[in-house]
Amino acid sequence: MKRIPQYLALLAYMAFLIFPLLWLLSTALKTPQEMAQLHPTWIPREPTLANFSAAFEEKDLVGAALRSVIVALSSSLITVVIALPASYALARYRSAINKGALGWVLLSQVFPFILIIIPLFTIMVKLDLVNTLAGLVVVHVTFTLPFALWMLQGYVRSVPPQLEEAAAVDGAGRMRAIVSVVAPLLAPGVVATLLFSFISSWNEFLFALVMLKDPDVITLPLLLASFTGPEGVARLGPLAAASVMATIPSLVFFAIIQRRLKSGLMAGAVKG
């Protein structure tokens, strides 16, 4: 009986989170006449898949989704590969330089991203990376790396240094101790950082808008924005259908990563 208020609060929070997705799906299945009614309905009276057909026929939805997957996966993997050794160095080697680096990482998140658009675009032009997926990957890595460093160094600090010292006593070198002792305990942090980097890159719009101009290389957020007409009037049906399809890859990625996150948490609990 004491847990009933907790369960009710949890159910209310879950309903709050799932409401936008359910309303999006409901809109995607409605006809234009039903969407134009003054009193909207929760469940479509005459469900239709015409909006999904229109979204796939009018726009290169599959191509944009594949490009977004390539950019998100590439940027998240590169971010984790760079952030993992850097976070270990920041957490284990205490010095004034490391403290200053951590302070700068935290301070860099305070500045609005709009401030770095012009200098970043100028650098990308000189590197001939404008209007390319590789350039967008570089931008996304730069965008997510500071927070990934901050996340991972916190996980590294939570691993007791005595475990590495015990491995050294048993004859293991530093690299062997890191790989065999520290790395398994950092699995939850690596998975969480990977998930954060992927979602940040998947949903990113501002940098993609500045970097990509060719319709053949635009990512999914830019394609969704194209369903809005020149007068600012959105075509709600195809836009909702395309948005529903755009959520599927991120949900699949989260479902795959969630299993790894749980197994990593259990492994860390046992090894700790």
Side-chain angles (χ1 to χ4, degrees), residues 82-209:
I82 296 175
L84 190 56
S87 62
Y88 181 85
L90 290 174
R92 285 291 187 260
Y93 301 102
R94 304 294 180 87
S95 65
I97 296 178
N98 284 4
K99 292 181 180 179
L102 283 176
W104 174 249
V105 166
L106 185 60
L107 185 62
S108 65
Q109 301 300 298
V110 178
F111 295 101
F113 297 119
I114 193 67
L115 293 179
I116 65 175
I117 287 294
I118 295 178
L120 188 62
F121 182 79
T122 304
I123 294 174
M124 291 295 106
V125 169
K126 291 183 179 180
L127 295 176
D128 198 22
L129 291 176
V130 175
N131 210 31
T132 63
L133 296 182
L136 188 60
V137 169
V138 172
V139 172
H140 285 181
V141 171
T142 307
F143 165 65
T144 56
L145 186 57
F147 191 77
L149 276 172
W150 188 264
M151 287 180 61
L152 281 177
Q153 68 89 25
Y155 278 96
V156 175
R157 289 181 186 275
S158 66
V159 178
Q162 290 79 7
L163 295 178
E164 298 177 58
E165 296 173 0
V169 171
D170 292 337
R174 178 172 291 274
M175 290 303 301
R176 177 64 182 276
I178 293 175
V179 173
S180 301
V181 178
V182 180
L185 299 177
L186 292 180
V190 172
V191 172
T193 305
L194 187 66
L195 180 61
F196 163 79
S197 302
F198 181 87
I199 297 300
S200 297
S201 178
W202 179 264
N203 295 328
E204 199 280 317
F205 178 80
L206 181 60
F207 291 132
L209 180 64

